[in-house]
Amino acid sequence: MLTQTDARAIAKKLNATLKPGRKHDIVEIRLNGKYIGQYGISRGSKEHPHDHISRQMFLTAKQCREFRECSLSVEDYIKILTAKQAFD
C-alpha cells in the first residue's frame, strides 16, 4: 500500500510539479516536457492509502512499489510507457 509519504517521494523522483488543490495537492507528471498524467496527494493529517497512483502512472501496483523503492528507475518507467504507447 502506498501512502502520502510514498506519493511525495514518487513526485520528487519524477521531478514532478506539485500544485495545490482544494483538498489535495496535484502532482503533474511530465517527461521530456510532455504531459503524461497526474495524481492527487491527500493533505490530511493521517496517512491515507494512495493506491490510485499506480493506475494514474500507467503501472501495476508492483511496478509502482518498485519505482518508489528505487529498484525501477525513471528510465525503466519511460520504457514501460513507451511499450504501452503512453509516451513517445
Side-chain angles (χ1 to χ4, degrees), residues 31-85:
L31 295 174
N32 298 331
K34 183 175 181 182
Y35 175 83
I36 301 300
Q38 66 184 34
Y39 63 86
I41 301 175
S42 174
R43 282 195 302 245
S45 59
K46 296 181 182 177
E47 284 283 339
H48 296 286
H50 282 69
D51 296 328
H52 60 278
I53 295 171
S54 59
R55 287 188 311 276
Q56 293 173 333
M57 288 180 64
F58 306 104
L59 295 173
T60 65
K62 180 182 180 216
Q63 288 171 327
C64 199
R65 282 190 308 275
E66 288 173 349
F67 188 76
R68 165 63 177 109
E69 296 164 356
C70 294
S71 58
L72 186 73
S73 69
V74 174
E75 291 79 20
D76 294 331
Y77 178 51
I78 292 171
K79 288 177 187 175
I80 290 168
L81 292 178
T82 302
K84 292 182 178 185
Q85 296 180 347

Side-chain angles (χ1 to χ4, degrees), residues 3-46:
T3 63
Q4 292 154 301
T5 304
D6 296 326
R8 292 193 186 284
I10 289 169
K12 185 176 181 179
K13 184 174 179 178
L14 288 169
N15 199 26
T17 305
L18 265 141
K19 297 180 180 179
R22 263 184 84 192
K23 295 182 180 181
H24 297 81
D25 288 329
I26 305 300
V27 175
E28 189 175 276
I29 303 169
R30 291 185 176 274
L31 295 174
N32 298 331
K34 183 175 181 182
Y35 175 83
I36 301 300
Q38 66 184 34
Y39 63 86
I41 301 175
S42 174
R43 282 195 302 245
S45 59
K46 296 181 182 177

